Each structure stands twice: as C-alpha cells, then as structure tokens.
Amino acid sequence: MLIPTSGGVLRQLAAAGALDAATGAGWQVVIADLVEREACGWERGQPQAQEVLSWIESAGGAVQRVETAPGVAYGALLKREETPAAVATLERLRRGGGARAVRDFVEGLEPGEVGSVLVVDDDPGVATLMSAARVPVQCLPAAQALQLLAEQAPRSPR
C-alpha cells in the first residue's frame, strides 16, 4: 500500500510520470480526502492538479479514496459561516492536514489487513506521526519513492 501525505507529493509523482508506475507495479494507492483536496481542490491552478485528478478518477480499484476525521472536519467547517475562528481552523487543517489524515487512516488499519504501508512525504517528522500504527509503516521521501517505483516498474519486452 502506497500512501502520499500531501498534494505536493502527488503532483511530484505526476511531474515525474510515476502515477501509472505506482499502480503498474502492483501497489494499492490510497488517497486521503485532504490529500486529494490539496492536490486537486483548493490548489486547482497548481501544475499537474488536473492530471492527478484525472488519474485518480481513471485508476479504478488501484486507487482507494478514503474519508478521514480531519477531512470530514474540514468539509464541515467549509459549510459553516465564515468567522475568523473558522478561517483560522481551516488554515490550520490545511497545514499538515494531509499527513494527519493519513495518520487517521493508517491508525485504523488492523494487522493482517495489509502487509505493509509505504508513506511518502519529504518531512522526516511524518515517521513520528505514523508511530501509533499497528501495521508495518515505512516512510520515504518522494525522491526515494520515485526511485523505488522506477525499479519496480514493469519492463517492456525488447
């Protein structure tokens, strides 16, 4: 299971042409709600945002979209009256919200449900966030994840 923790990581994978490599290498890719919002929602003008959204929608069962408590909270706040406190909370949820959403998902996994989880994030502190998981979790920076995907990509016959 491969789980990016931010929209930026997803856009990096898209820029490197590695989105299809992830699913082609047999990885189940999990996209948390706040990660998808960051990649495709609130930053629609970002490079690769439309490419990421199209890939998510066309990948079928190889990509699993998951709802998380931080994502639900964010959605609920969007529907409320815009107050300074609500805006401040939305901004706080945006900063690092993808990683917290991924933590929410990973902490809910039971041993035996998955073999292992590869969390992709360039922040070395994310490993601490994932420490409560009951399944094996490996955290890799995006560059190392790209290298791993390149190594595992199916080779075309010559």
Side-chain angles (χ1 to χ4, degrees):
M1 185 175 285
L2 180 117
I3 310 176
T5 61
S6 73
V9 168
L10 272 174
R11 289 190 302 272
Q12 274 184 276
L13 293 173
L19 292 174
D20 289 332
T23 54
W27 289 91
Q28 169 72 50
V29 180
V30 174
I31 309 291
D33 45 14
L34 281 179
V35 172
E36 183 174 348
R37 276 188 190 265
E38 181 184 346
C40 311
W42 66 64
E43 297 185 24
R44 283 202 188 272
Q46 291 287 330
Q48 287 81 37
Q50 186 56 47
E51 181 182 347
V52 170
L53 181 60
S54 295
W55 173 76
I56 291 170
E57 291 175 346
S58 68
V63 172
Q64 178 185 0
R65 290 168 148 159
V66 295
E67 184 177 73
T68 65
V72 170
Y74 186 88
L77 280 170
L78 283 176
K79 294 176 184 173
R80 286 188 167 180
E81 180 181 342
E82 192 172 302
T83 64
V87 170
T89 302
L90 283 169
E91 284 303 312
R92 194 170 56 252
L93 281 170
R94 280 185 178 190
R95 286 187 312 273
R100 287 191 302 277
V102 168
R103 178 187 63 196
D104 181 65
F105 172 74
V106 169
E107 286 179 355
L109 293 173
E110 296 290 334
E113 284 183 324
V114 296
S116 65
V117 176
L118 176 63
V119 173
V120 182
D121 193 299
D122 290 326
D123 179 356
V126 166
T128 303
L129 273 177
M130 303 302 152
S131 63
R134 294 175 294 193
V135 296
V137 175
Q138 180 182 6
C139 296
L140 282 181
Q144 286 182 341
L146 284 169
Q147 183 178 358
L148 176 67
L149 290 172
E151 291 168 1
Q152 292 184 353
R155 306 269 188 246
S156 58
R158 295 182 189 237

